[in-house]
Amino acid sequence: MNTLTNHALKEWNITIQALEQGETIMLLRKGGIREQNGKFKVDQNKILLYPTFEHQKPTLLKPKYSHLVQPVSSGWHPETVKISSFAEITHILSWNNSQDESLINELIKFHIWNETFVRDRIQFKPQQPLYILLLKTYKLSQVHEIPYHPSYGGCRSWIDLQQPISLDNKVPILTQEDYDQKVSKIHQILQPS
């Protein structure tokens, strides 16, 4: 049976690399400029990971990751895009400004961004919650190099690729046990008993 999808989530290339290496299972989102009503929402929970380069900033990453970013000019995009992974968004957690900020700072060990990035996310549209997405990531059986299409551009999270990509023979990055342990630790921080 050939399982296909064309639903994709746009994310920094460096973040996708960290997801593919099992170094994180977490994304932090508030919503892009072109999100519906300016608010973030999860359109699909099973998505291809579409790498972006334009807004990656070394100054917003932990030192381990900052040197890996090659800044590009505004509006730049590759002629072809490499799609190498798929993810299931298993949990959508939220944090709002009325909660203890120390809790969100305790999550720093679970993602690749630094305190400046987290503070910027919190302060951007402060009336809206910060969404914490937990992703179980899979490597695709092959890297798919697709041509860039203008419909992929812009500051938005969700896109539909022009052609579907096969999910057959995808391989999980983490075992279910390892993934569940990470999820449990994150839940313990955000929802202490």
Side-chain angles (χ1 to χ4, degrees):
M1 183 173 114
N2 194 7
T3 307
L4 302 168
T5 190
N6 69 331
H7 304 304
L9 172 65
K10 293 171 64 175
E11 184 53 70
W12 287 3
N13 181 60
I14 192 70
T15 307
I16 292 174
Q17 289 178 32
L19 286 164
E20 289 180 350
Q21 293 164 9
E23 295 173 8
T24 188
I25 64 167
M26 181 184 299
L27 299 181
L28 302 176
R29 287 298 179 100
K30 275 247 180 140
I33 295 167
R34 295 189 186 174
E35 301 293 353
Q36 186 176 7
N37 300 321
K39 295 182 180 179
F40 179 80
K41 74 179 189 96
V42 174
D43 282 352
Q44 303 285 335
N45 64 352
K46 296 181 178 180
I47 36 81
L48 298 161
L49 296 174
Y50 180 99
T52 63
F53 300 86
E54 183 177 358
H55 298 295
Q56 294 186 118
K57 292 184 182 167
T59 57
L60 298 179
L61 294 161
K62 293 176 185 172
K64 177 179 178 182
Y65 303 97
S66 62
H67 73 281
L68 300 173
V69 172
Q70 297 294 321
V72 299
S73 59
S74 180
W76 181 90
H77 58 78
E79 290 183 22
T80 59
V81 179
K82 292 181 180 178
I83 306 291
S84 54
S85 52
F86 167 82
E88 295 176 30
I89 300 172
T90 62
H91 297 79
I92 304 167
L93 310 170
S94 65
W95 184 90
N96 62 56
N97 284 349
S98 66
Q99 292 174 273
D100 183 353
E101 193 168 320
S102 68
L103 295 180
I104 200 76
N105 290 328
E106 284 186 50
L107 293 177
I108 202 91
K109 61 188 169 205
F110 292 99
H111 58 73
I112 68 170
W113 302 285
N114 61 25
E115 293 85 352
T116 302
F117 178 91
V118 174
R119 188 176 57 250
D120 287 354
R121 289 293 106 209
I122 291 170
Q123 292 173 354
F124 176 69
K125 298 182 181 180
Q127 70 283 6
Q128 293 183 18
L130 175 66
Y131 291 98
I132 301 156
L133 308 182
L134 304 184
L135 285 76
K136 183 163 174 61
T137 304
Y138 300 79
K139 285 290 278 180
L140 296 176
S141 61
Q142 68 181 63
V143 176
H144 297 265
E145 197 159 337
I146 62 170
Y148 175 80
H149 189 274
S151 66
Y152 305 158
C155 294
R156 57 205 169 106
S157 301
W158 310 99
I159 59 173
D160 284 333
L161 303 180
Q162 295 293 304
Q163 296 293 323
I165 289 178
S166 173
L167 304 179
D168 291 347
N169 303 313
K170 65 187 183 302
V171 177
I173 302 299
L174 299 172
T175 66
Q176 190 64 49
E177 181 180 0
D178 288 344
Y179 183 75
D180 290 344
Q181 285 177 358
K182 289 178 185 278
V183 168
S184 176
K185 288 176 183 175
I186 291 166
H187 272 286
Q188 287 169 16
I189 290 170
L190 289 175
Q191 300 164 350
S193 41

